[in-house]
Amino acid sequence: MGKQLVIFGLGFIAIMSLRISSLTGTATASRNVVYTEYEHVMARNTANSAVEYALYMLTQDPDWRDGMNSPSYNGAQVGLYLIDRPDISDETVELIANASYGRSYDAVEAIVELERKSNRFSRYAYFSNREAGIWFTSRDTLFGPIHTNDQFNLSGNPMFYGLVSSTAETYNTMGPTDPNFMEGTNFGIPRINIQPEFTGLSQVAGADGHKYLAQPLHIRLLEAGGYEYRDDNDDDWTYRDLPPSGVIFCNRDIYLEGTLSGQVTIVSNQSVIITNSVTYADDPRINPDSMDLLGIVAFDDVIVQDNENNIPNCTIEASILAKNGSFTAENYQFEPTGRLELYGGVVQERRGPVGQMGDPPVGYDKYYHFDERMETLYPPYYPEAVGSVSDLARKANIKIVYWKNSL
Amino acid sequence: MGSLLDISASFIIGGLVIFMIAASSFDMTQNLYNSTLDLTTQEKTALMRRIMENEFAMIGFNLPDTVAAISEIDDDRITFRMDRNSDGVVEEVTYYIDNYSADYSVGENMLVRLVSGQQPEEIASGVMQLNFSYFDEDGANCSIADIEYIQYSFIYNSPIENGEHRSKMFVRNRIKPRNLK
């Protein structure tokens, strides 16, 4: 009897052990499912985070290629590599991140295009060396970055949609003043000198551009491409293609009008006189991908001529730089008022008048709008604004071409 | 007389022991069965989560700029596009619930993945309360053009129940498809 009891007891224990073992195994498998998922998510998130980190670094420094190789990154192992892809474009970078967490592994392969913030003067909607006592008021709405190497004069509620910067620590006010700085301010920064390299532009035009020396030059841009030109004392127009370098230089005044198809910077060692509207063939306000770009650079002034073409209305689509002068209108005290539309930006030594308030007002009403493309693009050889991007929060935009997790 | 008492007592004690063993074995069987159901539910849910998240992460992959990455959104349905194999063929994928029933029984509430031009692929039945939400870069609910994040959630029921026990899992996650233009 005792022997049977022992056998019975051992059998009972064996069956229970098997049951308990099965239960334990199920519990262990259940825990493993949870833990495996946790490891998988951690590996994937770590790989994604590494690429996000690289994207952030590239916005701060487009030349950053350090990557990382960390044995312990939030508990994971991670490797991050950045490879230039000149076979796609000069500004294309491939990012590869691989991460392992416990027994899980994941990797990300991404290709991005960098759009460096322009460091040229064309990146400004408005720039002056001297404000010359002219005020921004509630009637003024400005888009794009603006800067002065002086102190702004603000009154009422002017609206600024771009970053506002100046060398002065603050701005002058008159009466109740509450300006709207939608992109913030950066007052008290170092001076940004207007130092267009006229010698350099002249050399570029001489080597691979078009250079005119003796006479004032008349230029008519052609919508179909190229341009026509004539000397001041010649009535016959001559056709030329746009130069390979995109720089047309004249030692004397340039009289300019027409519709541009392509990219060109027109440089005068004296002044540029706008004889009729100057526009883009492919209007960037309709097609944001338009690649038509016009720069107008004058040693002295850029002047809207007083003629029947420009009064009452004139449209200029260009980035304008007047190194020692102003962007202004000739005989601006005409009535009734007209409309001066500028799509681009103005850089000038001092603000020049194009109209005048009063009763009645005279001259042009200003409709200035920044060409957003100039944030990253610029006309050929447009003068560099040294120090203009050093304080920017983002020095490049990133466009993700593709992003792929390997698993 | 004494041996009769011994035999009776042995039957009672032996019967109790056998009853305890049987009851214990039954409980353990039930526990094992329920645990297995839970494990299967976990594994199935994890698999569905991976399928959906891997695919959502690829929304817009390798598409021409002129092709919209997400073509249709609703609370319980989403249709999106991608060229997953980089073969130039744009795939349009829809996730939805088929054969919906508020009171779930086996074979109902089928999570379906439909690829354009192919037969619907039944991923799992028993998926309840499939819900999609769409957010812009600020985390606010948005229209199809501004989507930056997609949040999905569902409850998965095990296809088999054990008495009153039916294993369920709730999943919710928010995905940022990086290939959205």
Side-chain angles (χ1 to χ4, degrees):
Chain A
M1 181 68 180
K3 194 174 179 182
Q4 285 86 340
L5 272 175
V6 169
I7 292 169
F8 180 80
L10 287 174
F12 176 71
I13 290 169
I15 290 168
M16 288 296 112
S17 297
L18 282 173
R19 296 280 180 170
I20 289 169
S21 172
S22 296
L23 266 177
T24 306
T26 308
T28 303
S30 181
R31 186 203 66 190
N32 285 344
V33 169
V34 173
Y35 197 70
T36 300
E37 283 306 296
Y38 174 74
E39 289 181 333
H40 170 76
V41 169
M42 288 299 287
R44 166 156 293 195
N45 286 351
T46 303
N48 284 334
S49 297
V51 174
E52 294 281 8
Y53 170 73
L55 296 184
Y56 170 77
M57 294 303 292
L58 287 171
T59 64
Q60 302 301 300
D61 176 7
D63 295 316
W64 186 80
R65 298 289 184 274
D66 292 351
M68 79 166 82
N69 194 350
S70 172
S72 180
Y73 182 80
N74 200 23
Q77 289 184 316
V78 61
L80 171 66
Y81 310 94
L82 291 87
I83 305 160
D84 284 307
R85 291 292 301 271
D87 54 314
I88 300 174
S89 85
D90 290 341
E91 296 288 6
T92 300
V93 181
E94 182 174 2
L95 313 173
I96 298 171
N98 46 55
S100 58
Y101 191 95
R103 295 159 298 171
S104 288
Y105 168 86
D106 205 344
V108 175
E109 180 189 344
I111 288 184
V112 300
E113 287 178 359
L114 305 177
E115 290 182 327
R116 292 169 194 261
K117 297 279 187 174
S118 167
N119 64 346
R120 310 298 172 120
F121 275 109
S122 50
R123 72 179 310 278
Y124 290 105
Y126 173 87
F127 183 109
S128 75
N129 261 346
R130 290 184 285 146
E131 283 296 277
I134 299 178
W135 293 77
F136 287 107
T137 69
S138 299
R139 293 180 59 192
D140 293 313
T141 299
L142 283 88
F143 297 86
I146 77 169
H147 174 84
T148 182
N149 288 325
D150 197 351
Q151 186 169 27
F152 282 118
N153 304 305
L154 309 180
S155 178
N157 308 104
M159 180 74 83
F160 301 96
Y161 280 98
L163 178 67
V164 178
S165 61
S166 71
T167 53
E169 296 281 355
T170 183
Y171 50 85
N172 292 319
T173 62
M174 181 170 59
T177 303
D178 186 17
N180 297 295
F181 300 114
M182 306 306 287
E183 279 279 314
T185 61
N186 206 356
F187 295 135
I189 67 170
R191 181 183 177 85
I192 299 168
N193 291 316
I194 306 179
Q195 293 177 321
E197 296 175 357
F198 281 82
T199 307
L201 288 166
S202 172
Q203 288 172 347
V204 170
D208 208 10
H210 295 165
K211 192 170 182 178
Y212 305 86
L213 296 175
Q215 297 289 328
L217 182 70
H218 292 249
I219 292 177
R220 182 189 291 158
L221 301 167
L222 300 176
E223 186 170 3
Y227 68 100
E228 293 175 326
Y229 73 97
R230 65 176 176 84
D231 287 344
D232 203 32
N233 52 8
D234 186 356
D235 288 337
D236 295 328
W237 293 89
T238 304
Y239 172 83
R240 286 188 90 171
D241 289 330
L242 293 178
S245 69
V247 178
I248 300 172
F249 181 94
C250 181
N251 225 18
R252 305 286 299 276
D253 287 342
I254 294 176
Y255 295 83
L256 179 65
E257 64 182 63
T259 300
L260 172 68
S261 178
Q263 299 184 1
V264 69
T265 296
I266 291 171
V267 188
S268 167
N269 227 354
Q270 294 184 339
S271 291
V272 175
I273 296 99
I274 307 295
T275 55
N276 200 344
S277 290
V278 181
T279 56
Y280 293 124
D282 189 4
D283 189 344
R285 283 170 284 191
I286 297 170
N287 174 23
D289 295 327
S290 167
M291 292 304 288
D292 292 343
L293 294 172
L294 175 60
I296 299 173
V297 179
F299 192 84
D300 294 324
D301 297 312
V302 176
I303 304 164
V304 180
Q305 191 178 51
D306 174 12
N307 66 31
E308 60 185 11
N309 294 326
N310 291 334
I311 294 176
N313 299 326
C314 178
T315 300
I316 302 171
E317 295 176 341
S319 289
I320 293 171
L321 189 153
K323 179 182 183 299
N324 285 344
S326 305
F327 173 55
T328 185
E330 183 183 26
N331 301 328
Y332 60 86
Q333 289 164 323
F334 59 86
E335 294 181 69
T337 58
R339 176 187 177 99
L340 178 59
E341 195 169 331
L342 172 67
Y343 187 74
V346 179
V347 176
Q348 55 195 341
E349 165 64 22
R350 62 187 180 282
R351 287 176 73 170
V354 298
Q356 192 172 322
M357 296 171 62
D359 189 17
V362 294
Y364 288 113
D365 289 329
K366 296 188 290 264
Y367 292 83
Y368 294 177
H369 203 293
F370 181 56
D371 186 345
E372 302 282 348
R373 299 175 305 154
M374 299 298 179
E375 188 181 25
T376 53
L377 302 176
Y378 53 87
Y381 292 92
Y382 209 77
E384 190 172 341
V386 176
S388 62
V389 296
S390 57
D391 289 332
L392 292 182
R394 290 171 65 92
K395 297 178 177 60
N397 294 333
I398 306 288
K399 180 185 175 191
I400 295 172
V401 178
Y402 81 73
W403 179 304
K404 189 174 187 178
N405 286 83
S406 67
L407 301 176
Chain B
M1 186 65 183
S3 65
L4 190 63
L5 279 174
D6 286 346
I7 291 167
S8 298
S10 297
F11 267 113
I12 291 169
I13 292 169
L16 282 173
V17 168
I18 289 169
F19 177 76
M20 285 169 63
I21 291 169
S24 173
S25 178
F26 180 76
D27 283 347
M28 292 188 81
T29 302
Q30 290 300 309
N31 283 336
L32 184 59
Y33 192 65
N34 290 342
S35 297
T36 305
L37 274 182
D38 289 344
L39 176 61
T40 307
T41 304
Q42 273 185 322
E43 288 173 337
K44 191 85 177 181
T45 306
L47 181 65
M48 282 191 286
R49 189 187 68 77
R50 283 201 190 193
I51 290 172
M52 292 177 74
E53 290 189 5
N54 283 349
E55 199 139 58
F56 287 5
M58 295 290 284
I59 291 174
F61 180 74
N62 209 33
L63 284 186
D65 287 343
T66 51
V67 177
I70 301 174
S71 54
E72 182 192 356
I73 57 173
D74 209 334
D75 289 347
D76 57 358
R77 185 183 184 97
I78 184 170
T79 302
F80 52 83
R81 301 187 181 102
M82 59 188 166
D83 175 12
R84 185 164 194 146
N85 303 321
S86 301
D87 56 4
V89 178
V90 175
E91 299 158 324
E92 189 170 67
V93 182
T94 303
Y95 279 88
Y96 63 98
I97 295 293
D98 195 21
N99 198 17
Y100 175 79
S101 167
D103 301 317
Y104 167 73
S105 63
V106 175
E108 293 177 335
N109 300 309
M110 184 71 70
L111 176 63
V112 175
R113 174 181 180 269
L114 173 64
V115 181
S116 52
Q118 298 179 18
Q119 288 294 314
E121 179 185 348
E122 296 178 343
I123 296 176
S125 69
V127 179
M128 306 285 285
Q129 299 175 27
L130 177 67
N131 183 265
F132 297 107
S133 303
Y134 311 93
F135 302 98
D136 63 15
E137 60 183 347
D138 298 320
N141 288 100
C142 66
S143 62
I144 196 166
D146 300 319
I147 293 173
E148 291 282 331
Y149 299 91
I150 299 169
Q151 179 175 291
Y152 74 90
S153 62
F154 64 82
I155 295 172
Y156 175 63
N157 295 272
S158 66
I160 306 166
E161 60 185 332
N162 180 28
E164 302 238 327
H165 180 82
R166 183 188 292 283
S167 188
K168 291 183 179 182
M169 280 205 84
F170 174 72
V171 178
R172 179 169 61 200
N173 203 3
R174 190 176 291 198
I175 309 294
K176 178 177 173 60
R178 262 85 170 185
N179 294 292
L180 290 177
K181 298 288 187 290

